[in-house]
Amino acid sequence: MLHLRLITPADRTAEVLRLVERTVGTTHLAVVPGAARNPPGDLVMCDVAREAGDELIGGLRSLGIDESGSIAVENIDLSLSRRADKAEEEAPGEGADAVLWEHLEDATHEESTLSFTYIAFLSLATMIAACGVVLDNAILIVGAMAVGPEFGPLAGFCTALVQRAPRLAWRSFMALIVGFAAAMLVTVAFSFFMDSVNLFEASKLQAERPNTNFIYRPDWFSFVVAVLAGAAGMLSLTSAKSGALVGVAISVTTVPAAANAAVAFSYTEYKQAWGSTEQLLLNLLGIVLAGTLTLLAQKYLWAKQRQRTAARATLP
């Protein structure tokens, strides 16, 4: 269930109440006239089944409540109510399959912001991975994958393609390009420093490295894993199962590939650097392709579910 807290202008409250009451899957409607001060208006609260949330939020936005008032949405972790159970039963589909597009756009917009924190996390993850590739240490590689924040912009780009949001697409694209470029430049400088204190050596990078040589040797398995991880990542975001994102992060070789490319470049190992760059681009392509197709499939299936529900409602 979702909890909606609305601030509505007094002259729009009646419309809002009619919308909430006719939306299947809503309950616990409460109105406090004149309670809001900034912006002034009435306070309207209700609970809605997740599978009906996108429809209700879209209706509220069409009434202009997001511009003249406020729409706040929270997840309800526990609701002990027979009315809530009945609302969830009446709502079409399953809550786990529902996509809250407004929430997804907002979340990915925030995650795809090119900020100092984002670049710092990506740079730190790449430097950790650099230590992993030089030491041929798989544990450090996995740790670097978990630290890297690059899935946020990737998810934002997928969402922008499906929702036709060019500003979000450009924002996400710039976060990826500038973020990885900055992280790799920092890692090149880090490699020079580590070499100067005799912690990195060219011979270690040139060794067989059985645990990490896959990073600069891309193949079809790299692409397949990236596609599977991209689909799993988007399902994780849309179903609010954020725990699965950790598994997605340590399934793809984006950060380690960027790290290996940077270290190899610092030692003029251009063949390794190019192979690692191919690995990075292959993973990015696989994630974007799978993520976009997953969202398109969810959008199509949910639209079909709504059509079936509407058809059943018109039957005598």
Side-chain angles (χ1 to χ4, degrees):
M1 294 289 288
L2 302 172
H3 177 70
L4 270 65
R5 186 180 69 254
L6 315 173
I7 294 178
T8 65
D11 60 340
R12 309 299 297 275
T13 301
E15 290 181 274
V16 170
L17 294 179
R18 283 195 294 270
L19 173 63
V20 173
E21 289 172 340
R22 71 169 180 259
T23 300
V24 177
T26 59
T27 187
H28 303 155
L29 177 61
V31 183
V32 186
R37 292 292 180 267
N38 183 23
D42 301 331
L43 177 63
V44 179
M45 295 173 287
C46 69
D47 294 341
V48 59
R50 182 181 175 84
E51 45 274 47
D54 189 61
E55 178 185 357
L56 179 56
I57 294 170
L60 292 169
R61 294 197 68 180
S62 68
L63 293 176
I65 302 304
D66 55 324
E67 297 179 358
S68 59
S70 169
I71 304 173
V73 184
E74 300 173 340
N75 279 307
I76 300 176
D77 294 327
L78 177 64
S79 179
L80 302 177
S81 166
R82 289 185 179 178
R83 289 182 178 273
D85 294 340
K86 186 173 184 294
E88 288 188 317
E89 290 173 2
E90 293 175 346
E94 295 293 333
D97 297 332
V99 180
L100 298 176
W101 292 102
E102 302 293 343
H103 177 269
L104 183 61
E105 285 190 45
D106 184 68
T108 52
H109 183 277
E110 181 180 347
E111 291 294 325
S112 60
T113 300
L114 185 61
S115 62
F116 172 79
T117 301
Y118 169 78
I119 293 178
F121 266 114
L122 192 54
S123 299
L124 290 169
T126 309
M127 286 187 284
I128 293 172
C131 295
V133 298
V134 172
L135 297 175
D136 193 32
N137 189 314
I139 295 176
L140 291 177
I141 295 297
V142 171
M145 290 174 174
V147 172
E150 73 278 8
F151 192 78
L154 287 168
F157 192 73
C158 296
T159 303
L161 292 178
V162 174
Q163 294 294 91
R164 299 178 183 178
R167 294 180 67 179
L168 178 58
W170 178 249
R171 184 189 188 96
S172 302
F173 180 77
M174 289 303 296
L176 285 171
I177 298 301
V178 176
F180 271 110
M184 292 171 75
L185 285 174
V186 170
T187 304
V188 168
F190 176 71
S191 299
F192 285 135
F193 169 76
M194 295 293 279
D195 182 78
S196 69
V197 296
N198 298 319
L199 292 176
F200 279 11
E201 296 176 6
S203 59
K204 292 182 178 179
L205 187 71
Q206 296 163 355
E208 182 59 27
R209 291 164 48 198
N211 293 321
T212 58
N213 60 25
F214 69 92
I215 294 172
Y216 60 89
R217 296 175 179 174
D219 54 22
W220 279 108
F221 276 107
S222 302
F223 184 72
V224 169
V225 171
V227 167
L228 296 175
M234 292 312 304
L235 286 173
S236 174
L237 284 179
T238 56
S239 63
K241 296 185 182 297
S242 57
L245 283 177
V246 177
V248 171
I250 61 177
S251 298
V252 292
T253 324
T254 48
V255 167
N260 201 90
V263 177
F265 183 83
S266 69
Y267 282 115
T268 66
E269 289 285 337
Y270 299 127
K271 185 176 181 180
Q272 268 201 46
W274 177 245
S276 302
T277 303
E278 285 184 328
Q279 180 79 272
L280 173 62
L281 295 176
L282 195 63
N283 275 266
L284 293 176
L285 176 62
I287 293 172
V288 169
L289 178 63
T292 303
L293 291 177
T294 299
L295 288 177
L296 286 172
Q298 288 181 290
K299 196 170 189 176
Y300 174 78
L301 293 173
W302 194 251
K304 286 293 185 180
Q305 175 65 46
R306 283 185 173 179
Q307 290 175 5
R308 287 195 294 268
T309 303
R312 285 198 297 267
T314 57
L315 292 176

